[in-house]
Amino acid sequence: MRTPMVVDDNFVEAASAHGTPEARMRFASPCQTKGCAQWTGTRCGVIDNVLKHLTVARTPQRDTLPACAIRASCRWFDQTGETACFACELVVTDQSAIAAE
């Protein structure tokens, strides 16, 4: 299992020295529920949309769950179970590299 890391100024400086951290790493914070535009009132709409797109694309799933340091507190996992774990790896949070193409 991976160990969660605290993101502080030193981490940001070191990680940024090798390019945009968001293009290489997954960052997580506690779900804000009502404080987030993606909150539907009962659940996170992001994972629902991601899973809808993956179903259409018929993306194959792996046989084992990927290592994860936040699964025990993950909103996506709580909502949709193991399916969220397979989708999580495919979600790109930094679109700048894609936009530059």
Side-chain angles (χ1 to χ4, degrees):
M1 175 183 217
R2 295 181 181 165
T3 304
M5 297 175 61
V6 175
V7 176
D8 59 15
D9 291 339
N10 292 331
F11 175 87
V12 172
E13 183 178 340
S16 297
H18 302 285
T20 306
E22 295 88 345
R24 301 182 326 276
M25 301 173 201
R26 168 71 68 206
F27 293 93
S29 63
C31 177
Q32 299 301 305
T33 61
K34 296 174 186 163
C36 176
Q38 302 299 329
W39 187 248
T40 68
T42 58
R43 54 193 295 123
C44 177
V46 173
I47 190 60
D48 292 336
N49 287 328
V50 168
L51 293 176
K52 186 180 348 174
H53 288 289
L54 293 181
T55 301
V56 171
R58 298 178 189 234
T59 305
Q61 291 188 355
R62 300 177 349 171
D63 292 332
T64 58
L65 291 177
C68 180
I70 67 159
R71 188 172 291 124
S73 61
C74 177
R75 165 71 61 190
W76 292 5
F77 182 76
D78 186 52
Q79 278 184 210
T80 61
E82 295 178 358
T83 307
C85 300
F86 301 113
C88 184
E89 295 184 308
L90 302 173
V91 175
V92 177
T93 56
D94 180 358
Q95 300 286 321
S96 61
I98 295 168
E101 292 179 351

